[in-house]
Amino acid sequence: MGQTRRRAARPPAEAAPFRQTYNPFPPMGVLSAEQLEQIEAASFHILEQTGIEFISREALQMFHDAGAEVDFEAQRVRLHRDLARKLIATAPAQFTMHARNPAHHTIMGGGYMIFSMVSGPGYAYDIKRGRRTGSFAEYLNYVKLAQSFNVIHNIGGFIVENQDTHEDVRHLQLYQAQHVYADKCTNPSARGFNHANDAVEIAALVFAEQGGREWMLSHPVTLSVVNSNSPLRFDTPMVEGLLTYARAGQCVIVTPFTLAGAMAPITLAGALAQQNAEALAGIALTQLARPGVPVVYGGFTSNVDMQSGAPAFGTPEGALAALAGGQFARRYGLPYRGSNVASSKTPDAQSAYESMMALWPVMLAHTNYVLHAAGWLDGGLSAGLEKVIIDVEMLQMLDTFTRGIAVDESTLALDAIAEVGPGGHFFGTPHTMERFRTEFYRPLISDWQNYDNWLDGGALTAADRAHTKAQEVIAAYEQPPLDPAIGEALQAYVDRRTAEILNTEQ
Amino acid sequence: MGQTRRRAARPPAEAAPFRQTYNPFPPMGVLSAEQLEQIEAASFHILEQTGIEFISREALQMFHDAGAEVDFEAQRVRLHRDLARKLIATAPAQFTMHARNPAHHTIMGGGYMIFSMVSGPGYAYDIKRGRRTGSFAEYLNYVKLAQSFNVIHNIGGFIVENQDTHEDVRHLQLYQAQHVYADKCTNPSARGFNHANDAVEIAALVFAEQGGREWMLSHPVTLSVVNSNSPLRFDTPMVEGLLTYARAGQCVIVTPFTLAGAMAPITLAGALAQQNAEALAGIALTQLARPGVPVVYGGFTSNVDMQSGAPAFGTPEGALAALAGGQFARRYGLPYRGSNVASSKTPDAQSAYESMMALWPVMLAHTNYVLHAAGWLDGGLSAGLEKVIIDVEMLQMLDTFTRGIAVDESTLALDAIAEVGPGGHFFGTPHTMERFRTEFYRPLISDWQNYDNWLDGGALTAADRAHTKAQEVIAAYEQPPLDPAIGEALQAYVDRRTAEILNTEQ
C-alpha cells in the first residue's frame, strides 16, 4: 500500500462525467403546514418535558453552561424550544466538502445531492458466493467501484468491515485505503474518540499542504454520522465522535435511529416527533462545540416488521418519513441526509423496488447527502457487489431525470416535424443524426435487446449482468495519483497508531 | 363459460379492501410555465401549419363542418388553435366509470387513480416456461388475477392475446370473459368498427337492466385507447373506434404513439409538441362526435434505443415526458393517462427499477388512468405472470404512500414516549399493541426474514415467490356473481356474431 501511479482515473465507458446531481424541481412535502407544526410542537414538548439523555459529563456541562436544564445524576438535558432554536441557528445552510482531488469537491445544501457508498455492513454478498464475513480485500474492491463511478460522489466509510483485521485498528486500515485508492471525500466513523481523532489526523496529513488541521477548521473534508441511541439517548462513543469532529471543523450528520414500532412510537407522527427532538438536541451540541460548524439533519425513520421485530426498509412508511424529514430540515435551514435502503437479501426485483421506494423520495425531498446510495442489501447487514452496479444504474437514471427537459428552437424541432410529416419517421433525419449518440441516457446494465437475442445471450438477469460489470470495472480501475510524501506520511501514522493501540491493550 | 357461482369474490389475504387510489399531494411538474407555453405554441404551430392526417372521409367532413381547414385529397386537417381550444372545451374534467359491480365504480379525474392490467401483448411469459404464444387459457388466468387484487381497478383489454382463437373473433371471446369472470370496468379495443361496436353491444347486455345503450350514453362503462399513428396520422380503424365509442357515450383515451427518435423528434421538447398536437386533434374529434363525451389525454412518449431502434421503457426520458404530459392534461382540464412500462424480458431487478421509473412519475403527475399497471414485460410484447404480482406489490406500496401521515394526539404518542423514556423500547407498550397488526403496510411477496431463514427457505428471489403467489391466487379465485340471464344473453350474442363474422369471410 502507499504505491501510486501517476495516471488519471478513467470512469467506465457508460459513466457520465463527474457532476454533482442537482435537483432543480421544488421539494415535495407530505405534511401540511399544520401537521408540520403539530409534530414540531410535540418534539419541543419531548425536549422540554422528557428531555434527552447524554451519557457524557462533558456534554451535560456544555448544555448546562448554555442555559439548558440539566439533571447531572440522571444525565438528562431538558432543552427549551427557544434555546434549541437559538443554538441551531448558527449552523450553515450550505457549504463545500473538500476532496483531495479538487475536481471532486461537492456542495452540501440546496438542491445539490451527494451520493455515498453503503456504510456499516459486516458482510459482503455476491450472487456467486453468497454471504461471507467482510475482509480488507473485499473492502478494496468496493473502494475501487466507488472511485470508478462518477455518480458516486463520496467514498463512504466502513463500506464493508475489514473483519480480518484486529477490531481496534480496522479504522486505520480503512482510512488509509480511502485516501490511497480514491480521491473523493470520505465518511469516517464517529464511534468514539479514536475513530474520530484518527480520521481527522489522517485527513490533516492528506491536506498538509493546504494547512492541515488549522485549515480544516474552516474547510470540512470529512463527514460522519452520529446516531442517537433511540429513544432519546446519545451514548458516550457517539458524543465523543460528535465533539471531536465538530471541534475539528468537520461535518457531523446527526441521525436519530427512530425505527417506528421499536425505538420509536409505531405511529409515524410520533416517530417523527421523536426524530426531530433527538436531531435538534444533537445538532445543538455540535454548535455548542463549535458555533457555525457544518452539520446535517439526518432522517432514518422507517418501520420494523411487527412479526419479527426486524427493521423493514424501502417501505411506504419509510418513504413518507423521508419526505417529512426533509420538511423539518428545510424548516431549520439545514442540509438533509437520507438513505437508499432495502430489506432484500439478494439483488432481485425486491431489492430494486425497495431501493426505488427510497430513492425517489430521497430525490423529491431535496436530500443533500444520500448515505448507502450504492451497495446496501439485507437491511444494511451486507454490502452487495451486484447491488452497487444496480444502484449506480438507478442513480444515473435519477441524475438524468434531474437534468429536466431542454426547450428551445432546436429541441422543439418544428422544421424536422414539418419535413417528416404525417406517416414518416425520424430515424435518418439530420435532426436525429446530430444527436443520436448523446440525446438519451445510455444504460450501464439494462438489457434493451429483443427477446430472442436476450435468450441467445443466456437469458441473463440484471444481477448476472451486474456481476460481470462489477468485475470489469474493478479490473479496469486505475489508482488516482497521490503525492508519495503523503503516502509515506499516512503509512507512518498508521504504523505508529497501530502499534500504540495494540500495545496499549496488551 | 357463462356458469357463475353466487359467491362474493374474496381478495387474497394480503390485499387491501377495494379503494380507489387517491393522491392528495400537489402534482409535480418538470416544465416551467414558460417551457409549457413554448411547447404548446409549437404544437399549435404543427396543428395549423403541417396539420394532422385523418384517413377517414367521415372525420375529414366533421372537421370541415366545424370550420377547420381540410384538404380532402391529402386527407389533412389544419386546426387553428382557437378552434382546437373551443372543441376540447366541452370535455368533462371528471366523471365516473361504471362497473357492473357498483362497489367497483371508479372516478376518473382529479387526484384519483385507476390501475388497469397490461394490454396488447401477444405472448405470455413466466419464469418456469419462458415466453410462449398467448392463448385464451392464459388470458383467463390474468383476468382471475386482475379480479382478485383490489388495487387493480380495471380489468383491461387484450391482457394477452388469445391467439388460439380465430383472429377476427378474438375480441368477442375476451369481452365475454371479462364480464363473466370479473365485475370491474374494462378496456375493450378500438381497432376498427367491429371491435368497438361489439364492445358497446356486449356492455349494453350487461347493463340492460339500467337501460342499455340509451343509459350508457350518459354513463361510461368502457374506456378504450385510441392511438395516433405517429407522426401526425390517425388511421381508419382508430378513427372508426374513436367515433363508435364516442357516439355511444363511452370514454376514449387519445394516446399519441410518440417514441422520441422514431415516430417523433429525438428531442423531448419536440416529441411533446408533437404529442400535444396529435392529442388535441384526436380529443377534438371525440367532441365533434358527441360534445361532452368523456375523453382522456393520453401520454406515452418515451425514447427508442438508438442502437437498435427498439422502444426503451422505464427510462429517465420517459419519466420526464410522463410528468410533462400531466402538465398539458391539467392545462386543458382533462383526465390524464399514463403507463407502467419496462424493457426487461424477465421479472428481475431491471423490470422493477424500470417500472418504478414509470410508476413514481405516474403518481406524481396525477395520472388518472394507469394502463399496463400490472404485468407488462419486454416493451409490452409479453404479459408476465410474476410481473403481475410484483407490480401489485408496488401499486399497493404506492397506494399506501398516498394515504399520507395521520397527525393527531393519538398518533403523536407523547404519553408513550414519556412512558418509555431514554433507552427503553416500544415493543410491548399499549400504544404499540393496539396498532401492530394494522399500522404498517404488509407486503405481498417481499421477504423481510433474516438471511439465515431466507437461505433455509431456498434463497428464493422475488420472482420465485411471485410465481408461487400467482398460482395461489389463481387457485383461490372465486367467480363473482352474474345474473344467469345476462350470461345467456352474452353467450347468444357472441355465438351470433361469431357466426356472422366467420361466415362473412368465407
Side-chain angles (χ1 to χ4, degrees), chain A residues 44-359:
Chain A
F44 285 147
H45 179 92
I46 295 165
L47 279 176
E48 292 167 358
Q49 301 298 319
T50 304
I52 308 286
E53 194 175 281
F54 282 85
I55 308 184
S56 159
R57 172 79 207 187
E58 190 177 9
L60 294 170
Q61 189 65 48
M62 290 164 76
F63 276 113
H64 173 81
D65 295 347
E69 182 193 330
V70 174
D71 180 337
F72 283 88
E73 199 170 337
Q75 305 182 94
R76 195 78 66 92
V77 174
R78 290 184 176 82
L79 202 55
H80 190 274
R81 62 193 70 192
D82 295 337
L83 181 56
R85 282 202 191 99
K86 185 185 139 204
L87 290 177
I88 67 169
T90 50
Q94 184 168 309
F95 49 89
T96 297
M97 293 298 310
H98 299 80
R100 77 170 177 87
N101 176 353
H104 290 160
H105 287 351
T106 44
I107 299 169
M108 179 80 83
Y112 291 96
M113 302 178 76
I114 298 170
F115 297 131
S116 183
M117 292 293 281
V118 63
S119 198
Y123 300 99
Y125 176 92
D126 71 53
I127 57 171
K128 307 284 184 195
R129 295 185 293 168
R131 190 175 92 167
R132 56 209 178 275
T133 302
S135 68
F136 182 63
E138 299 270 14
Y139 180 84
L140 274 191
N141 281 337
Y142 284 94
V143 170
K144 291 175 179 176
L145 290 171
Q147 174 70 10
S148 297
F149 286 110
N150 279 328
V151 81
I152 304 297
H153 309 107
N154 183 300
I155 297 299
F158 279 58
I159 308 176
V160 60
E161 193 153 343
N162 45 341
Q163 298 202 49
D164 51 350
T165 299
H166 189 291
E167 188 172 2
D168 295 341
V169 296
R170 285 175 193 164
H171 66 288
L172 295 170
Q173 188 180 37
L174 298 197
Y175 296 167
Q176 181 183 18
Q178 285 162 5
H179 292 296
V180 169
Y181 290 93
D183 62 9
K184 299 175 181 177
C185 272
T186 62
N187 180 340
S189 152
R191 292 183 217 157
F193 175 79
N194 270 0
H195 278 211
N197 193 59
D198 283 327
V200 172
E201 288 293 324
I202 283 174
L205 297 173
V206 172
F207 293 92
E209 200 176 304
Q210 288 86 339
R213 282 194 80 127
E214 181 61 30
W215 177 83
M216 284 163 55
L217 282 173
S218 53
H219 294 81
V221 303
T222 69
L223 42 76
S224 302
V225 172
V226 168
N227 285 125
S228 55
N229 300 77
S230 304
L232 308 180
R233 174 188 282 167
F234 285 82
D235 68 16
T236 310
M238 281 289 136
V239 173
E240 286 179 6
L242 182 153
L243 293 177
T244 305
Y245 282 120
R247 286 169 177 156
Q250 301 306 294
C251 175
V252 169
I253 300 168
V254 179
T255 311
F257 207 73
T258 36
L259 292 172
M263 298 86 114
I266 191 167
T267 44
L268 279 185
L272 287 166
Q274 185 185 313
Q275 170 185 293
N276 196 52
E278 296 177 6
L280 292 181
I283 291 165
L285 185 58
T286 65
Q287 301 303 304
L288 285 175
R290 184 174 171 84
V293 76
V295 61
V296 175
Y297 185 108
F300 196 72
T301 298
S302 189
N303 53 300
V304 298
D305 172 9
M306 295 311 296
Q307 270 62 52
S308 68
F313 291 108
T315 65
E317 291 79 11
L320 288 164
L323 285 155
Q327 292 180 271
F328 281 103
R330 287 193 295 283
R331 187 174 186 85
Y332 305 123
L334 293 171
Y336 181 50
R337 169 252 155 130
S339 310
N340 170 13
V341 289
S343 287
S344 182
K345 264 62 69 183
T346 193
D348 61 352
Q350 180 185 338
S351 76
Y353 66 65
E354 288 177 330
S355 272
M356 279 299 210
M357 275 306 283
L359 280 175

Side-chain angles (χ1 to χ4, degrees), chain A residues 25 28-31 35 38-39 42 45-46 50-51 53 76 125 130-131 230-233 260-270 272-274 303-310 312 314-317 319-321 323-324 343-354 356-357 360-361 364 378 390 393-394 397-398 400-401 404-407 410-414 417-418 420-427 431-432 435-436 439-442 445-452 454 460-462 465, chain B residues 25 28-31 35 38-39 42 45-46 50-51 53 76 125 130-131 230-233 260-270 272-274 303-310 312 314-317 319-321 323-324 343-354 356-357 360-361 364 378 390 393-394 397-398 400-401 404-407 410-414 417-418 420-427 431-432 435-436 439-442 445-452 454 460-462 465:
Chain A
F25 308 117
M28 179 182 183
V30 294
L31 297 172
Q35 288 180 318
Q38 285 175 290
I39 296 177
H45 179 92
I46 295 165
T50 304
E53 194 175 281
R76 195 78 66 92
Y125 176 92
R131 190 175 92 167
S230 304
L232 308 180
R233 174 188 282 167
M263 298 86 114
I266 191 167
T267 44
L268 279 185
L272 287 166
Q274 185 185 313
N303 53 300
V304 298
D305 172 9
M306 295 311 296
Q307 270 62 52
S308 68
T315 65
E317 291 79 11
L320 288 164
L323 285 155
S343 287
S344 182
K345 264 62 69 183
T346 193
D348 61 352
Q350 180 185 338
S351 76
Y353 66 65
E354 288 177 330
M356 279 299 210
M357 275 306 283
W360 271 94
L364 297 168
D378 190 8
I390 291 169
E393 180 90 286
M394 293 192 277
M397 288 169 76
L398 288 173
T400 303
F401 176 85
I405 298 176
V407 183
S410 130
T411 59
L412 286 169
L414 285 175
I417 292 170
V420 169
H425 67 79
F426 291 78
F427 276 123
H431 186 266
T432 302
R435 294 168 177 83
F436 81 98
E439 189 66 20
F440 302 135
Y441 174 66
R442 296 179 71 169
I445 54 145
S446 291
D447 186 294
W448 286 355
Q449 299 180 90
N450 67 36
Y451 185 85
D452 289 327
W454 173 74
L460 301 179
T461 65
R465 293 189 298 274
Chain B
F25 308 116
M28 179 181 182
V30 293
L31 297 171
Q35 288 180 317
Q38 286 175 290
I39 296 177
H45 179 91
I46 295 166
T50 303
E53 194 175 281
R76 196 76 67 91
Y125 176 93
R131 189 175 93 166
S230 305
L232 308 179
R233 174 188 284 168
M263 298 87 114
I266 192 167
T267 44
L268 279 184
L272 288 166
Q274 186 185 313
N303 54 300
V304 298
D305 172 8
M306 295 311 296
Q307 269 63 51
S308 68
T315 65
E317 292 80 10
L320 287 165
L323 285 155
S343 287
S344 183
K345 266 60 70 184
T346 194
D348 62 352
Q350 181 186 337
S351 77
Y353 66 66
E354 288 178 329
M356 279 300 210
M357 274 307 283
W360 271 94
L364 297 167
D378 191 9
I390 290 169
E393 181 89 287
M394 292 192 278
M397 288 170 76
L398 288 173
T400 303
F401 177 84
I405 298 176
V407 183
S410 129
T411 59
L412 285 168
L414 285 174
I417 292 170
V420 169
H425 67 79
F426 290 79
F427 275 124
H431 186 267
T432 302
R435 295 168 176 83
F436 81 97
E439 190 65 20
F440 302 135
Y441 174 65
R442 296 178 70 169
I445 54 146
S446 291
D447 186 294
W448 286 356
Q449 300 179 90
N450 67 36
Y451 185 85
D452 290 327
W454 172 76
L460 301 179
T461 65
R465 293 189 297 275

Side-chain angles (χ1 to χ4, degrees), chain A residues 373-417:
Chain A
W376 166 294
L377 271 185
D378 190 8
L381 297 179
S382 291
L385 186 74
E386 300 87 5
K387 184 66 168 15
V388 171
I389 305 297
I390 291 169
D391 284 334
V392 164
E393 180 90 286
M394 293 192 277
L395 295 172
Q396 291 189 163
M397 288 169 76
L398 288 173
D399 176 72
T400 303
F401 176 85
T402 61
R403 296 173 196 227
I405 298 176
V407 183
D408 56 33
E409 200 182 314
S410 130
T411 59
L412 286 169
L414 285 175
D415 291 345
I417 292 170

